[in-house]
Amino acid sequence: MTATCPRIFPRVAKAANIHTMTGGARERLAESLIAFRAVFANRDLRRIELALTGSVTGEWAYAIALAVYAFDRGGAAAVGLVGLIRFLPAAVSAPFAAILGDRFRRGRVMVASDLLRALATAAAAAAVLGGAPAGVVYALAGFVSIVSTAFRPAQAALLPSLARTPEELTASNVASTTIESVGSFAGPALGGLLLAATSAGVVFAATAATFVWSALLVLGITSEPTAGERGQGPGIRAEALAGFRIIAVEARLRLVVALYGAQTLVAGALNVLIVVAALDLLDLGKSGPGFLNSAVGVGGLAGAVVALALVGRRRLATDFGLGLILWGVPIALIGVWPHEAPALVLLAVLGVGNTLVDVAALTLLQRAAPDEVLARVFGVIESLLVAAVGLGAILAPLLIALFGVRGALITTGALLPVLTALAWRRLVRIDSEVTVPERELALLRHLPMFAPLPAAILEHLAGSLRRLRVEAGGAIVQEGGPGDLFYVIASGEVDVSVGDRPTAKLGSGDYFGEIALLRQVPRTATVVARTDVELYSLDRDEFVTAVTGHPESRDAADAVIGARLGTLRSGMASI
């Protein structure tokens, strides 16, 4: 009967499928919007996104004012010098500055970065308004760039610990990418308006205020886990190299970082090609580069809506590949079809691809890299991206000299689709390997000491659980023995005894073993399987790090231990 239905009623079956697909799409969009709203309903995520708004807006306004100030003092050569001063030290210092995000509380690192940038830009404002030599302003610009490299790695590494679900983490990355897109034209617009009405010194002072705004918002974050002992390496060189090492040995990270670097290389080339194409190929005049860049920004905002579809998806690697294709193909098509209207549309499509790439790449990296080196991984990526932008800007004129403007656009645009095609099977494999242990997650979420933990940490712990079966009558824990594992009962029942006295019976969803681990004492009771039992165990270090690293989880664990020790003394419970 079922086998014949599609043949007898093809139109009905097709309509039903369309209805199901449409309903599924509506349901996914509704879930995505709920997760997006949850980002701003989450007090700490809201603060970090608003802080990023201040930081990004200030950076862009400062960059515009600094470029204009340099041009007034020394022309195009001075603008180039300022670019070198800003980007070269940042590329070198990023892996080292990122150590701070793994050694100390990440929110405090962001605050320190903001305040130091505020002081430096305020000093630059005073230098400009006081008529100090341009070299002083340039030196402060280099300092601002170095200090800034600590902010974004810490921010990207902090997000997973504040998000309560995987969907909320992806939605947070969508919000961050949207803020970056808005800031990329709101910041320059703000800087340009202030410059038109005042001077570079006033813009520098306003930038200092945006950094203070960012710092005040981050200071109010309350649910950040403590730093614990993460990042305490044998030396600064070894710590700085930890991010490189984890990328080198982890195949998923290596692939995503390599493709992300290739996309940034193309972006660096596009910075040059878009100017040359606007002036020489499309004949748009001096305002042309601005129009074309605005099209990318508009596409980025549209991409934020598209990126909502990524919320809750497990196929982020192939979405990342799709974004890379949307990045490269429009550039190549502009070379094939060099007309103003199509170019604006194609660059808007590129902006959509840019948002997809950023959201998918950030989420993949946050899930794949261990938390203890996460900030350093992002530090390496920041260094790589800054270097790739510079290299792309150097390669673009060479491609123009070899192939002409149209040939350079086609060659540059073809790079990402070709690389994506070569890597497609590996991207598909990454998605197929990303399996969320739903049963284990459900067990952990119902335990009071794990319930407050962020989604990323819970997923990691669920993946670290080890299943074991014990037949009826088998001993699981012996009183007086060492405490090395925490246990959760998936099915079956166990008897708990102290000495020769039975004290409790535990069943599915119950747990034991936390007292010995958290209090560093021998086992306080014996646990024997009453029936055949299925258990999940968690290693001591994983358990202690997770529970003690989060204030609410630590408080819940203390309450559980206090209650259990009290009932143990009264002879009613165990362990």
Side-chain angles (χ1 to χ4, degrees), residues 68-81:
V68 171
Y69 172 84
F71 186 81
D72 289 342
R73 295 301 181 278
V79 176
L81 174 63

Side-chain angles (χ1 to χ4, degrees), residues 200-246:
V202 173
V203 179
F204 291 166
T207 298
T210 66
F211 290 143
V212 171
W213 153 275
S214 176
L216 290 174
L217 284 165
V218 178
L219 271 174
I221 292 175
T222 57
S223 62
E224 179 188 0
T226 56
E229 296 181 352
R230 69 184 182 210
Q232 301 296 327
I236 189 168
R237 182 174 177 273
E239 289 188 47
L241 292 175
F244 291 96
R245 282 196 299 269
I246 195 67

Side-chain angles (χ1 to χ4, degrees), residues 44-110:
D44 287 340
L45 282 178
R46 182 173 67 249
R47 281 182 165 271
I48 204 169
E49 298 295 357
L50 291 174
L52 182 64
T53 303
S55 178
V56 169
T57 304
E59 285 176 350
W60 277 102
Y62 173 71
I64 294 297
L66 183 63
V68 171
Y69 172 84
F71 186 81
D72 289 342
R73 295 301 181 278
V79 176
L81 174 63
V82 166
L84 184 66
I85 290 171
R86 290 182 64 213
F87 290 114
L88 183 59
V92 173
S93 64
F96 297 95
I99 295 172
L100 300 172
D102 285 331
R103 176 174 284 187
F104 305 106
R105 294 185 67 173
R106 287 159 180 161
R108 297 297 180 259
V109 172
M110 293 170 65

